[in-house]
């Protein structure tokens, strides 16, 4: 039996793919991805700048939004540059350790973002259901602790994923089915029992993202119960403050659930479906979140404009 550090079992690099069958168009396909990356960087940076410089936005919802914008920048930067290099210059290899680092960043940053969305839901619940206690519950020190817990939670739950991959011998093909490294994709290249990877990966997603979705749903059930007792005008005014957050939740969780289902139950589906779902999950939310919070939040447009002009 060859040793596990043999190149057949411990490869020095993995091979990333772009869009199978469209290799001749990779150079042109890179431009939309570049524009998405540029928009994500500029849009989220503007949000960070405005919230930092506009005192009227130093309230819990917008402080959490600033954290969300920073996470979107980090998530885009951990994946998009490698995708652009692949499409523009045909550099398909990513080192073994580089793949593991990227895998950790993608999963942990997604988990942190999920926790921040839960915190934003709790902020809306407190502001609508307990308005008199809102400022005393969500103080700045508590917001800092919530963000710290989100970072620790996401990091702790998804640090084992690269370690679980490290123990697996990789045989045969080194070709991944995406333009970046995710746990489910690398795991399929192993020639050993991947049951621990499957169980832990699914468990981590359910405990982190699953619990977050459940608690966000509970928060909005309580919000609906509260606003249903208000007058029609007050109900619209209260619920209008939640529209942007609900949209951001849908933008984040819908592709995530779709990608998880495709990876686990879509073995017979077209590779194009896997690639499309993965790209939508990683690259679309950082682009859409600045639009949702910056342009579509009509009641805050004056404050955004004032802060930007300052």
């Amino acid at each position: 039996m060859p040793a596990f550090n043999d190149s057949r079992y411990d490869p020095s690099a993995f091979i990333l793919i772009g869009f199978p069958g469209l290799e001749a168009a990779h150079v042109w396909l890179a431009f939309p991805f570049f524009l998405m990356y540029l928009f994500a960087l500029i849009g989220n940076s503007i949000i960070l700048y405005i919230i930092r410089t506009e005192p009227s936005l130093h309230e819990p919802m917008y402080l959490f939004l600033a954290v969300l914008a920073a996470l979107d920048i980090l998530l885009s930067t951990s994946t998009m540059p490698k995708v652009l290099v692949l499409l523009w210059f045909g550099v398909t290899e990513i080192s073994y350790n580089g793949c593991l680092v990227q895998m950790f960043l993608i999963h942990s940053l997604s988990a942190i973002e999920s926790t921040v969305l839960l915190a934003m839901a709790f902020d809306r619940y407190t502001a609508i259901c307990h308005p008199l206690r809102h400022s005393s519950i969500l103080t700045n020190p508590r917001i800092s602790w919530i963000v710290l817990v989100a970072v620790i939670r996401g990091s702790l739950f998804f640090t084992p994923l690269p370690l679980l991959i490290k123990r697996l011998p990789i045989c045969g093909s080194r070709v991944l089915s995406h333009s970046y490294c995710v746990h489910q994709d690398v795991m399929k290249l192993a020639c050993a029992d991947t049951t621990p990877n499957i169980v832990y990966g699914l468990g981590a997603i359910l405990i982190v993202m699953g619990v977050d979705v459940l608690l966000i749903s509970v928060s909005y059930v309580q919000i609906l119960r509260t606003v249903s007792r208000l007058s029609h005008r007050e109900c619209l005014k209260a619920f209008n403050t939640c529209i942007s957050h609900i949209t951001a939740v849908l933008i984040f969780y819908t592709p995530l659930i779709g990608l998880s289902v495709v990876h686990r139950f879509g073995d017979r589906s077209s590779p194009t479906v896997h690639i499309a779902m993965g790209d939508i999950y990683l690259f679309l939310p950082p682009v859409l979140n600045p639009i949702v919070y910056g342009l579509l939040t009509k009641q805050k447009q004056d404050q955004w404009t004032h802060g930007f002009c300052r």
Side-chain angles (χ1 to χ4, degrees):
M1 173 71 72
F4 275 4
N5 61 3
D6 188 282
S7 61
R8 291 171 295 174
Y9 293 91
D10 188 14
S12 60
F14 290 104
I15 305 298
L16 302 173
I17 64 170
F19 296 89
L22 297 174
E23 287 81 4
H26 274 183
V27 173
W28 301 106
L29 289 172
F31 285 99
F33 282 92
F34 174 73
L35 291 175
M36 290 172 64
Y37 182 48
L38 191 64
F39 189 90
L41 289 181
I42 294 175
N44 287 292
S45 296
I46 288 174
I47 285 180
L48 285 172
Y49 174 76
I50 292 174
I51 292 175
R52 181 178 179 274
T53 58
E54 180 57 44
S56 65
L57 297 177
H58 292 177
E59 52 187 71
M61 188 65 175
Y62 293 95
L63 295 177
F64 286 132
L65 174 59
V67 177
L68 191 68
L71 290 171
D72 283 338
I73 291 174
L74 291 174
L75 189 58
S76 297
T77 303
S78 67
T79 54
M80 190 66 85
K82 184 63 180 175
V83 174
L84 293 174
V85 169
L86 186 156
L87 295 176
W88 262 327
F89 305 107
V91 180
T92 59
E93 283 197 351
I94 182 171
S95 67
Y96 183 83
N97 289 327
C99 182
L100 297 184
V101 170
Q102 189 182 65
M103 177 194 306
F104 168 74
L105 289 174
I106 290 173
H107 292 292
S108 61
L109 289 173
S110 297
I112 297 169
E113 187 163 336
S114 175
T115 307
V116 172
L117 288 172
L118 171 60
M120 295 171 81
F122 177 70
D123 168 73
R124 291 298 86 205
Y125 161 76
T126 309
I128 294 174
C129 299
H130 304 284
L132 298 180
R133 298 172 56 196
H134 179 251
S135 59
S136 62
I137 292 176
L138 284 172
T139 60
N140 286 342
R142 285 179 180 170
I143 292 173
S144 300
W145 275 107
I146 290 172
V147 173
L148 180 61
V149 168
V151 173
I152 294 173
R153 182 181 184 232
S155 301
L156 285 180
F157 270 99
F158 290 95
T159 296
L161 293 186
L163 302 179
L164 288 170
I165 292 294
K166 198 82 173 175
R167 57 174 274 279
L168 293 175
I170 306 297
C171 305
S173 173
R174 297 179 294 126
V175 179
L176 301 174
S177 59
H178 291 289
S179 305
Y180 46 83
C181 295
V182 288
H183 176 252
Q184 305 95 316
D185 202 11
V186 179
M187 177 183 67
K188 293 180 180 180
L189 302 180
C191 54
D193 182 22
T194 59
T195 302
N197 296 68
I198 295 173
V199 172
Y200 185 84
L202 183 60
I205 289 176
L206 290 176
I207 292 174
V208 178
M209 280 75 161
V211 170
D212 290 349
V213 170
L214 178 62
L215 293 177
I216 290 172
S217 301
V218 170
S219 298
Y220 275 101
V221 168
Q222 295 300 318
I223 289 173
L224 287 172
R225 291 179 59 185
T226 299
V227 299
S228 65
R229 295 192 291 265
L230 303 175
S231 66
H232 180 69
R233 184 175 180 179
E234 291 175 332
C235 177
L236 288 177
K237 183 179 179 181
F239 203 70
N240 194 41
T241 64
C242 304
I243 295 299
S244 296
H245 178 253
I246 293 173
T247 306
V249 167
L250 292 175
I251 290 172
F252 178 80
Y253 285 109
T254 303
L256 173 63
I257 294 171
L259 182 62
S260 299
V261 170
V262 166
H263 270 299
R264 284 175 173 79
F265 307 109
D267 293 335
R268 297 181 180 179
S269 60
S270 169
T272 306
V273 175
H274 290 253
I275 295 171
M277 289 300 300
D279 289 349
I280 290 172
Y281 161 62
L282 275 184
F283 304 141
L284 203 58
V287 175
L288 294 181
N289 282 337
I291 297 175
V292 170
Y293 279 99
L295 299 179
L296 300 184
T297 312
K298 187 175 180 181
Q299 69 273 24
K300 287 292 181 181
Q301 279 183 356
D302 290 341
Q303 288 175 300
W304 290 121
T305 304
H306 179 62
F308 183 73
C309 291
R310 288 184 60 187

